[in-house]
Amino acid sequence: MVTTLHHILANSIVLLALKLGILLLLLPATLVVGYVELKVMAHMQHRLGPMYAGAYHGWAQTLADGLKFIQKEDIMAAATDRTVFSMVPYITMLGAALTFVVIPFSRHGVIANLDIGLFYALAVSSISVIGVLAAGWASANKYSLMGGLRAAAQLIAYELPLVLAAAAVAMQAGSLSLVSIAEAQRYVPFALWAQPLGFLIFLAAATAEVSRTPFDMPVAEAEIITGAFTEYSAMKFAFGLFAAEYIAMIGMSALAATLFLGGYVPLLPQLRFVPGPVWFLIKTGLLIFLLIWIRWTFPRLREDQLQKFAWKVLIPLSLVNIFVTGALKLAHWT
Amino acid sequence: MNDESKLKKATFGTGLLKGLGITMRHMVSKAVTVQYPDEIAPLPPRSRGVIALKEENCTMCMLCARECPDWCIYIEGHKERRESRGEGKRAKAFNVLDRFAIDYALCMYCGICVEVCPYDALFWSPEFEYAEGDITRLTHEMERLEDWMRTVLPPSPLDDGAKGPEIKSAAPVVPAPAAAPAAAAPAPVETAPGPPPAAGRPAGMSEAEFVEQRAAAGRLVRQKVYEEEIAKGSEPRIAEARSKAAEMRARKATLPETEPAPPVTPAPAPSRPAAGMSAADAAAVRRKVYEEEIAKGSDPRIAEARSKAAELRARKGTKGPGG
């Protein structure tokens, strides 16, 4: 029976369908995360949030929002660079979704277990910024351009601490493959042992990467009207901004869960009977909730404050973290 | 995650964690939202939702329309002549109200019209659910404005010891002029009877005293009914409306038979805390004080004021005659 199952799974077409299914699940996942965010934000403000769409506690609210966006007229201003403008949602979605190629849902449930999975994940997650910058440029709107430039400037701040924090994890695990990194945390996640500082640095940098408060200067509704996406409407807005933002958030949470919380690996040996994907979803969900929680607690920083924070605090700390990690490794292994 | 930013602070401030704690605490506490169309938050009974018109009280004086800052009140009417009613009586002209409308699309709910109406023809009603899809339908004509009267609350009961509204009677209670010192008798001042005395009014009591006594009795009835209603579990608004109706019935009816108020000493009245003199006694006090003042050579006005004060003191905490 088990062998038959393995045979079926080994069938490349079935496997491809399954892997495509994971990517296709991302859109419903954004609806779920969006709904959770609406509810959490509402309750943090003593409100109820959506209560009507779908009859039970407004569960279908984000679905209704999505359908509304699909029905809307797609407006493009006369001066926009139409080709670039239309390409942007693809680029931002692509950058956000490609991370999931290397993220393991279970030991074998990974679309591609690349040897350089971590490197790949960090590389593709930066693609979205190109889309945001292109959106700002193509919109022929000063607010949009400002937003695009802010996104590009922000990249300079968060990318280095993000990579350095991840590098310490790779040193600790001795591998760049995300499956190996998860396996290296069997029963003791890095966040609790060896890399707690790296975990905090990574979370701060990841918040900046996905442009969420307190580092949401590129979209800053109150200042530059959603930044690069001021001129976007209808489906382009829904996909280029909302879906991309939430997929990127899920992706970064999943990456952080894998790097620092052990991903699909159970937290306790006694809990091994709980399947890996469940662990993965619990850990990712916790980090997503943390990001939402942070968003509705802290106010927005300024761009220069982020730069100062990243270059004067995060990067030195992550270098110290790498040094300590290396020293400990040497002390243990030699 | 932003715990790193704390590192900048020399104090390792706990501000960020405190902020997270606050939002978490708010998240797990109950939301204050009231799901309006499904549940309705209890409004204060005298909320100002819509202005109601009591048409029979309107004299078309136009004060409301003139004072309205938004000019949203429309009044139209015409004059009619009433033929002379009998020998030697003039024919009279009087106003007939044809249209009274308030445009709630313009109204800013300042309530000046209600304040300014001298004839109690405009009232606040707590109704607020009259939104329309068509702006022209927000102009409420007379029928609709009168319809809002259904939910207008009666005026609040007076505070303890407060005087009721001035009721003009043909024979104001004026202490007997200084030239009538013999007026110690209980009923000296009925020089001009004016309108026929109200039913049940005992001899020996001036019109104003009688009105005051009836009002006091009415207030008692009202309080009693209100407390009964509340005890029955009625809503405060309903209790108030019912008690008001009971008071009105009581006031219209003749006085309770307990009235006569013999000029004896005030009863100790154990049930009510403030046992004052009966109205008749108090009036006697007033006259006495007035005479004393006049005898002292005070100005009549001062004498009147002091005697009135003395009467009020005597009646302080007046209990109704039935009490």
Side-chain angles (χ1 to χ4, degrees), chain A residues 34-168:
Chain A
Y35 172 74
V36 170
E37 170 137 48
L38 286 178
K39 277 298 194 184
V40 168
M41 116 171 81
H43 281 277
M44 283 182 173
Q45 298 163 355
H46 273 202
R47 296 184 289 113
L48 290 173
M51 289 298 280
Y52 283 95
Y56 182 76
H57 282 259
W59 67 269
Q61 182 62 48
T62 40
L63 187 64
D65 286 345
L67 291 178
K68 181 196 74 177
F69 274 123
I70 289 175
Q71 295 169 27
K72 288 224 162 190
E73 184 190 357
D74 185 9
I75 301 167
M76 269 193 264
T80 43
D81 184 335
R82 302 178 77 89
T83 320
V84 179
F85 191 85
S86 306
M87 274 168 58
V88 164
Y90 296 99
I91 300 173
T92 53
M93 284 285 280
L94 194 71
L98 280 182
T99 319
F100 287 89
V101 169
V102 290
I103 288 187
F105 291 77
S106 68
R107 180 152 197 160
H108 301 288
V110 49
I111 296 178
N113 183 10
L114 299 180
D115 290 340
I116 51 162
L118 179 55
F119 174 78
Y120 166 87
L122 292 175
V124 295
S125 64
S126 303
I127 292 180
S128 303
V129 175
I130 299 174
V132 178
L133 193 53
W137 184 256
S139 293
N141 174 326
K142 59 188 170 190
Y143 296 111
S144 302
L145 186 57
M146 196 63 89
L149 289 178
R150 279 191 187 188
Q154 195 152 317
L155 178 87
I156 300 170
Y158 66 73
E159 200 64 25
L160 208 46
L162 190 77
V163 172
L164 290 176

Side-chain angles (χ1 to χ4, degrees), chain A residues 270-293:
Chain A
Q270 291 85 348
L271 294 173
R272 257 175 309 185
F273 61 90
V274 180
V278 175
W279 281 110
F280 174 78
L281 287 181
I282 289 175
K283 291 170 181 176
T284 309
L286 277 178
L287 287 181
I288 289 174
F289 175 77
L290 183 64
L291 283 180
I292 294 174
W293 187 10

Side-chain angles (χ1 to χ4, degrees), chain A residues 40 43-49 51-52 197 199-204 207 214-215 289-291 293-294 296-298 305 309 313-314 317, chain B residues 1-8 15-39:
Chain A
V40 168
H43 281 277
M44 283 182 173
Q45 298 163 355
H46 273 202
R47 296 184 289 113
L48 290 173
M51 289 298 280
Y52 283 95
L197 180 61
F199 179 53
L200 294 178
I201 295 171
F202 190 90
L203 270 183
T207 312
F215 306 124
F289 175 77
L290 183 64
L291 283 180
W293 187 10
I294 285 167
W296 296 104
T297 303
F298 299 133
Q305 287 169 329
F309 175 58
V313 180
L314 290 185
L317 276 182
Chain B
M1 56 138 289
N2 300 87
D3 296 18
E4 297 87 6
S5 61
K6 284 195 298 184
L7 298 180
K8 283 196 296 187
L16 293 174
L17 290 177
K18 210 153 98 191
L20 288 173
I22 287 173
T23 40
M24 178 52 79
R25 208 163 56 236
H26 281 235
M27 191 184 80
V28 294
S29 61
K30 202 172 162 356
V32 295
T33 312
V34 177
Q35 294 282 90
Y36 161 58
D38 298 335
E39 44 182 298

Side-chain angles (χ1 to χ4, degrees), chain A residues 312-325:
Chain A
K312 290 188 175 171
V313 180
L314 290 185
I315 291 177
L317 276 182
S318 49
L319 288 174
V320 167
N321 190 38
I322 285 181
F323 180 78
V324 171
T325 307

